[in-house]
Amino acid sequence: MTNDSSTPTISRRGWLKAASCGLGALTVTGLAPEGVSAGMLSPRESHFAPKAKRVIFLFMAGGPSQFESFDHKPALQAGGGKTGLKKGKLLAPLAKFAQHGESGMWVSDAFPHLAGQTDNICMLNAASAPSRAHPIAVPMMHTGAFQFVRPSLGAWVVYGLGTENQDLPGFFTIKPTRTFGGPSNYGSAFLPSTYQATRLGWEGQPVKNATIGNLASHHGLTASAASLSLKLAQMMNQPLVSQSEDVRGVIDSLELSDRMQSAVPKVLNIASESKETLDAYGIDAGRTDDFGRQCLLARRLVESGVRFVEVSSSGWDHHSNLDKFKSKAEEVDKPIAALLADLKQRGLLEETLVVWTGEFGRTPETQVLNGKETIGRDHNAEGFTVWMAGGGVRAGLTHGMTDELGYKAVEGEVVLPDLHATILHLLGLDHTKLVYRYGGRDFRLTNISGNVVHEIIA
Amino acid sequence: MIHPHRRMATTLLVVFGLTGGFVLGEEPDAVKPVPASEKNQGLSLFDSKILPVLKKHCYECHSKDSETIEGGLELDSPSGMLRGGDSGPMLEAHHADKSELLRMLRHEEDVSAMPPDEKLSDEVIAAFEEWIRLGAPDSRADNGPTAKEQRLEEAKRHWSFIPPQAVEPPSVAATDWPRNPLIDNFVLARMEAEGLKPTLDANRRTLIRRIYFDLIGLPPSPQDVDAFVADESPQAVEALVDRLLESPQFGERWGRYWLDVVRFAESSGMEFNFTYPHAWPYRNYVIDSFNADKPFDLFLREQIAGDLLPAEENESPEAAQSRRIALSMLSFGPKRHNSGGTEFQMDIADDQIDVVFKSSMAMTVSCARCHDHKFDPIPTKDYYALAGIFLSTEPLYGTIKQKYSNNPTDLLPIGKDAEAMHAAVVAYDKKFSEAEAAVAAKKKELTEATEAETLAAKEKTEAEELLTAITARVSAAQTEAETAADSEGATETEENAETESGTKPEADTDADTENQAEAQAAADGAGEATSEGAESDAVEADAAGKEATTKLEQAVAKLAEATARVAALKAELPKLEAAVAELKDKRPPAPQYAMTARDRAKPADTKLAIRGDFRNRGDVVPRGFLSAVNVPNAPTIDPAHSGRLELAQWITSPDNPLTARVMVNRIWSHLFGRGIVPTVDNFGVLGKPPTHPQLLDALALRFIEDGWSVKKMVRAIMLSRTYQLSSHVEQNNMKADPDNRLLWRQTPRRLEAEAIRDAILAVSGQLDLERPEASTVTGLGDKLARSIPLEKIQPPSRHRSVYLPIVRDYVPELFDLFDFPSPSLVTGQRSVTNVPSQALYLRNSSFVAEQARHAAERLLASAEATDDPHRVALAMRWALGRTPSEAETTAALQLIAEVKQASAAKAQEAAAAAKEAEAAKEGEKAAEGEEPKAAVEATADDGSANSGSIDAWSAWFLTLFTTAEFRYLVDIEA
């Protein structure tokens, strides 16, 4: 594994001493406050041998169109302008498709860079979700629920597996949205708050200026005075360990905070990256700069042992401005392609599951707004495209299909709980066993459904 | 308990058992079969075709003996067959088309395909269809209750459904140990039985800190500590407890626990998160209720049915109002305001059922929304009996109609003269909108009148033109008529006239065209007249002229009238506008508002929703309570009301086996960090059993006896020797009982987020103990939370933490980090985590840094300590309630010296820079011949010395805030 950066390496330091509460212990204690303090983030055995050890979840908020990206529909191209099944006019795809790589996977010309990565990608062309309304679909995608506040996917994963680098939080979210559930989308709900994401920035804020709370101090002390203060506190803490194991948790968390204070800025500082790398991600190159930085940070975080990183891109809700799709795609295409290539080159892709998805996709028909036809498409949750890469998925596979016009999944449908179950499965977690008892019942991410899509697993 | 299905099945069985055989191959349609023979046929078919299939393909997952009974469906007994699974019956005798079983066997869409792995042959499926058509008779005997019925029966015998039993405190060997036999004898007897001994008593320093935080959530002052340590009276603890129980801070501490339980928040949460600006009165209601030691049963009744309770004798208007504010509990739950209709109402009712039953009885009733409770004896029917009560209740949560918010409701005006004020506001709003409407109407009238005036003016002009035209044409016609005697060109003339008229410059309006036509007609008349005779021509032309003249006169009159009207309206408008202006800034002050709830106009029972799907309704379920919980003399629901009152009475009946136990257990858990029943919100089958069941019962009964007084219960527990134990570890005990289930010591407890923040503010001297006006959220108005900048949702505050705004998803940072529970979920016991983000907050946040500086300033200003070692000690006494050890003092002085040095160095640098600048300036001045100024340096030195001290002492406070001792209740050295 090449490592040209100053990324901190994975370390497992002393605070694991109290890491007695493995997965089993946690599942039975539920909300019990006893014993669940230190060691909650220490790495834990999965249910079975994992294919993936970490996840980068690329969330394209708004519902990107599959017809301009990854679902090649010649019949729709031919039928443009004709009346569709839902009485609207069919809208021919605004992008041209071609086959790429050894697999001959179809990718549109909106994603010229990703087209070069098809042999790493497993394309799911028949994903479906339970709702075509943003406010329901966004929380569903993130938590499997919308009627109730439930833990997010990342929180479940860190609860199940802990995290590898005890100097860093286990779950990061970069530039999440404040809408449609906002923080619940990366929250821990009834799981201990340890499992919620550490947030870097908000949607609409350049990631360049984003910071993580309380890493920088406000006390104005010199480094040596701050360190002396910490030492003194620890000196006072030490004798109390005999009264409570929890105090060990305090001691460890103080130690860890000290290490985090140097580790996090290091991992978030991309200055040490080579010019080639920065260029590859499209950093400092206009439209790709911001998302390029997000992707590079995601790589640096997982490389440092962070378990789950969500990266968000917003503005995919093309109701009337689908002509802008390509320029939206341009923002993420090069950065994502660079991310996959970079992970691969570093030997990380094999154990890093990259997931690309929106909350749903779009219809083959032209959107009519206020009685006027637009260049745009409405939401469609009955069939859309999600792709995965690395982490034990069958690279180069195109799985499932929608009908010839792309209204709904007709073959190899992957419903949302299946998607969640499969992600957990790749991480070595059985979605029916990853449970947490709250309010008298065992809860799980997939609630009462979910089937692992074994066909897409290598 | 009646099992209707079983009874029916058994009856059928008897009938079938008595009837004879069935001839295979008989054509069922050939003869119209009598029912008996149908049954015979069916039974025979059952034995030959159906039963073998059930045994082979179904029993594995759907019988009493299967490992898990999938979908709650038991197919190994007639009653199980007929009852169906969690989603209700799956076959209807004689009606194959209505039997879901067939659709499942056929692997149709939208049903679970059964058997899941392989579809049965068409022949077998046809046999099932035929069998159902024949009435689905079953030849098997029902051997005892089904597993589900068995489970239900067993669950009803679960400990928490059996009323508390009065037991005398057991005798103990160490007779001199117990202080309060009600508690100590039970605890000690259990320890003695297991060979454990209670650890040492806590010392006074430890005890006062514990009691302060436990009762009021604040640290004791050094003076309090000194006085308590010095008080040798055996009543010292009692006196302290009694004093703090009477402090207004008690309710702020204990009220917050209840706010967790009822998932109090000031916004709707969910995907669109609307603020609830009027939730705060409930917060105050809870705090005040705990301070007033309102009987807990009444407290519960008020929150469930405050509006329906009879007024107390001589009840003050405030008290009457607070009964209605209490009902906010039913209204501030998380809600999807973007939804609507039945789904919205059902979700609200579900939330209400959840919060009412978890908070009062620690029962997870809402599990039964979709299926019979898997573990507790709560059938779906019970859920809908309760849902009927809550669906007959209208929650009043306010909100305004805006995008994504579809369901605004009224609110409750509160405060002195609230009704009158609200009426005045409503009246004013009505008056004002009427005044505005009057202006608008008048303006509209004026516009119309102006238009009419314009039209009239135009008509007048046209009439003038017409008259002119006629006059001209008449005279022309007369001329023509005179010459007509000599020539016969009348027709020609006529044509010419027409042509002329036709070529008249293009008419651009209809009016013009009409006008033109009229003129033409008049002219035609004149022209025609020429062929008749000059005399009659003249008469007729004259008539047309006259007519036109009349028209003109009318038009003139009309115009005059229109002009007058415009003028009149113009004159009237300012008066109306003045009326609006007059009202404009005179809106009477609006009262405060609160959320509440009330009965709907037409309370009604509701229908069961199959699998929780409100579109798929089953039978009407009469409103009622939990069937498994036996409360003698339970009230019957008055159908004219929602039933909340009766529900509240049922829940708070002294005979309800759960309510008192649940609350004393909550109280206990706050004072020991763990409940006697560790799962404080779940007393059901899945909850943990009590560690000291008799103690729990004794406390519950005492609680009821003492009039459900929370303060008396808190006091009783605190005055026990068990509560007053130290946290000292006895190795033998530790080995035998590491989790301290037997209460041989006090387990060190982490303070909650609120207590940590309040303690920091108390140490810094910044804490404002006054209750703030309303809530921050009130000032924000009805908004989408995400549209509000974070710094406006959580502005800096010096008030106690219980008063900080609780906007779902946007709770204060410190709360978020220190395990404040999700305010969308009922939480009786918070989790406790120790994570680095907490350490980072305490070490680096602007809040803590700022408070540390305030504390340093306070310290330096204090006359109690005038040298550094004493300052080190005083700071520690404020923060930790004790004096430092020698080693600690030395280390602290070292830290202070180091910071002072660093600050001095920094100041020197700054001073040097300033001096240099000054020197440069002076140099310039000197060059200009001025006297150099003195003492600049000295002033700078003083300033830096002071600021250096603040830096240094704030570093010491930061250190103290970071320690485990600051945020844990541990033993303190005496």
Side-chain angles (χ1 to χ4, degrees), chain B residues 787-832:
Chain B
S787 70
I788 309 167
L790 293 178
E791 59 276 16
K792 284 202 173 160
I793 299 181
Q794 297 297 346
S797 163
R798 293 167 47 223
H799 289 289
R800 289 206 72 180
S801 300
V802 70
Y803 297 114
L804 297 187
I806 302 302
V807 176
R808 291 187 166 110
D809 287 335
Y810 301 104
V811 299
E813 185 185 9
L814 187 151
F815 287 22
D816 210 15
L817 294 172
F818 286 92
D819 304 302
F820 186 83
S822 162
S824 294
L825 305 171
V826 171
T827 309
Q829 185 149 26
R830 298 183 181 183
S831 50
V832 178

Side-chain angles (χ1 to χ4, degrees), chain A residues 34 36 214 224 237 243 439-440, chain B residues 364 674 686 813 844 898 964 971:
Chain A
E34 52 187 313
V36 285
N214 303 320
S224 93
N237 290 339
Q243 285 190 50
Chain B
T364 55
R674 175 194 170 94
L686 279 192
E813 185 185 9
N844 292 341
E898 158 122 15
D971 280 358

Side-chain angles (χ1 to χ4, degrees), chain A residues 34 36 135 146-147 178-179 181 184 193 214 217-219 224 229 237 243 246 254 256 258 261 438-440, chain B residues 270-271 364 674 682 686 745 786 788 809-810 813 819 825 832 834 836 843-845 898 959 962 964 968 971:
Chain A
E34 52 187 313
V36 285
F146 75 96
Q147 278 174 307
R178 275 183 77 185
T179 57
S184 310
S193 54
N214 303 320
S217 67
H218 284 86
H219 51 55
S224 93
S229 158
N237 290 339
Q243 285 190 50
D246 274 10
L254 278 166
L256 178 50
D258 206 41
Q261 241 177 299
Y438 164 74
Chain B
M270 310 311 293
E271 65 264 43
T364 55
R674 175 194 170 94
N682 191 352
L686 279 192
R745 67 167 187 155
R786 70 179 192 234
I788 309 167
D809 287 335
Y810 301 104
E813 185 185 9
D819 304 302
L825 305 171
V832 178
N834 272 311
R843 295 179 65 206
N844 292 341
S845 71
E898 158 122 15
T959 309
T962 324
Y968 273 85
D971 280 358

Side-chain angles (χ1 to χ4, degrees), chain A residues 15 28-29 31-34 36-38 40-41 135-136 139 146-150 166 178-184 189-194 196 199 202 213-222 224-230 232-237 240 242-244 246-247 249-250 253-254 256-258 260-261 436-442, chain B residues 270-272 336 338 343 347 350 358 364 367 369 375 673-674 682 686 727 729 739 741 745 748 785-786 788-790 793 809-810 813 816-817 819 822 824-826 829-836 839-841 843-846 849 876 880 882 887-888 891-892 894-895 898-899 902 906 951 955-956 958-960 962-965 967-968 970-971:
Chain A
W15 89 311
V28 294
T29 50
L31 259 184
E34 52 187 313
V36 285
S37 60
M40 295 176 74
L41 287 171
I136 294 177
F146 75 96
Q147 278 174 307
F148 309 104
V149 178
R150 295 285 177 257
Q166 299 302 316
R178 275 183 77 185
T179 57
F180 308 135
S184 310
F190 45 70
L191 295 177
S193 54
T194 318
Q196 73 191 8
R199 177 181 57 79
W202 284 114
N214 303 320
L215 273 181
S217 67
H218 284 86
H219 51 55
L221 297 180
T222 61
S224 93
S227 159
L228 196 60
S229 158
L230 178 62
L232 178 48
Q234 297 289 49
M235 179 189 109
M236 292 169 68
N237 290 339
L240 297 177
S242 67
Q243 285 190 50
S244 173
D246 274 10
V247 175
V250 174
S253 70
L254 278 166
L256 178 50
S257 75
D258 206 41
M260 262 179 76
Q261 241 177 299
Y436 191 87
R437 181 156 295 172
Y438 164 74
R441 140 162 143 67
D442 283 342
Chain B
M270 310 311 293
E271 65 264 43
F272 295 104
R336 301 184 55 239
N338 49 319
E343 187 179 22
D347 282 350
D350 187 63
K358 272 191 190 152
T364 55
C367 288
R369 183 181 187 178
F375 305 99
R674 175 194 170 94
N682 191 352
L686 279 192
S727 297
V729 171
D739 289 336
R741 281 163 216 274
R745 67 167 187 155
R786 70 179 192 234
I788 309 167
L790 293 178
I793 299 181
D809 287 335
Y810 301 104
E813 185 185 9
D816 210 15
L817 294 172
D819 304 302
S822 162
S824 294
L825 305 171
V826 171
Q829 185 149 26
R830 298 183 181 183
S831 50
V832 178
T833 63
N834 272 311
V835 290
L840 287 172
Y841 184 86
R843 295 179 65 206
N844 292 341
S845 71
S846 59
M876 189 182 264
L880 307 179
R882 68 173 173 96
E888 285 167 343
Q894 234 169 40
L895 172 71
E898 158 122 15
V899 179
K906 222 195 289 175
D951 288 347
W956 176 225
L958 269 177
T959 309
L960 290 166
T962 324
T963 61
E965 201 173 337
R967 59 185 128 137
Y968 273 85
V970 289
D971 280 358

Side-chain angles (χ1 to χ4, degrees), chain B residues 58-130:
Chain B
C58 311
Y59 279 15
E60 189 186 342
C61 304
H62 297 292
S63 72
K64 216 180 283 186
D65 299 328
S66 52
E67 208 171 306
T68 55
I69 302 171
E70 296 292 333
L73 178 62
E74 295 172 67
L75 300 177
D76 58 340
S77 66
S79 49
M81 282 290 271
L82 286 172
R83 190 195 61 221
D86 293 337
S87 48
M90 45 140 215
L91 63 84
E92 193 175 330
H94 304 291
H95 294 282
D97 52 325
K98 289 181 189 162
S99 297
E100 196 168 90
L101 174 64
L102 277 177
R103 309 212 308 118
M104 295 162 95
L105 294 177
R106 288 179 187 135
H107 287 205
E108 284 183 18
E109 265 188 50
D110 306 327
V111 293
S112 310
M114 287 293 156
D117 298 330
E118 56 163 321
K119 200 172 150 189
L120 300 172
S121 71
D122 290 349
E123 190 203 350
V124 172
I125 295 172
F128 268 93
E129 186 173 359
E130 176 63 11

Side-chain angles (χ1 to χ4, degrees), chain B residues 185-207:
Chain B
N185 279 47
F186 285 104
V187 173
L188 182 61
R190 179 83 202 273
M191 269 191 264
E192 286 178 347
E194 312 240 352
L196 267 62
K197 268 191 196 149
T199 193
L200 308 170
D201 292 331
N203 64 38
R204 283 281 171 92
R205 253 175 230 291
T206 302
L207 207 50

Side-chain angles (χ1 to χ4, degrees), chain B residues 808-928:
Chain B
R808 291 187 166 110
D809 287 335
Y810 301 104
V811 299
E813 185 185 9
L814 187 151
F815 287 22
D816 210 15
L817 294 172
F818 286 92
D819 304 302
F820 186 83
S822 162
S824 294
L825 305 171
V826 171
T827 309
Q829 185 149 26
R830 298 183 181 183
S831 50
V832 178
T833 63
N834 272 311
V835 290
S837 50
Q838 297 165 347
L840 287 172
Y841 184 86
L842 292 173
R843 295 179 65 206
N844 292 341
S845 71
S846 59
F847 172 75
V848 177
E850 202 181 304
Q851 296 312 317
R853 293 191 78 78
H854 284 304
E857 282 162 14
R858 182 185 169 209
L859 184 69
L860 288 168
S862 170
E864 282 176 63
T866 45
D867 62 17
D868 284 359
H870 282 96
R871 286 190 184 112
V872 168
L874 185 58
M876 189 182 264
R877 275 154 60 81
W878 285 348
L880 307 179
R882 68 173 173 96
T883 46
S885 69
E886 231 170 90
E888 285 167 343
T889 306
T890 312
L893 289 172
Q894 234 169 40
L895 172 71
I896 284 148
E898 158 122 15
V899 179
K900 273 189 179 164
Q901 209 168 27
S903 296
K906 222 195 289 175
Q908 224 158 29
E909 252 171 62
K915 202 169 163 190
E916 214 167 281
E918 189 66 27
K921 219 170 160 189
E922 289 301 329
E924 281 167 31
K925 283 178 184 169
E928 288 163 22

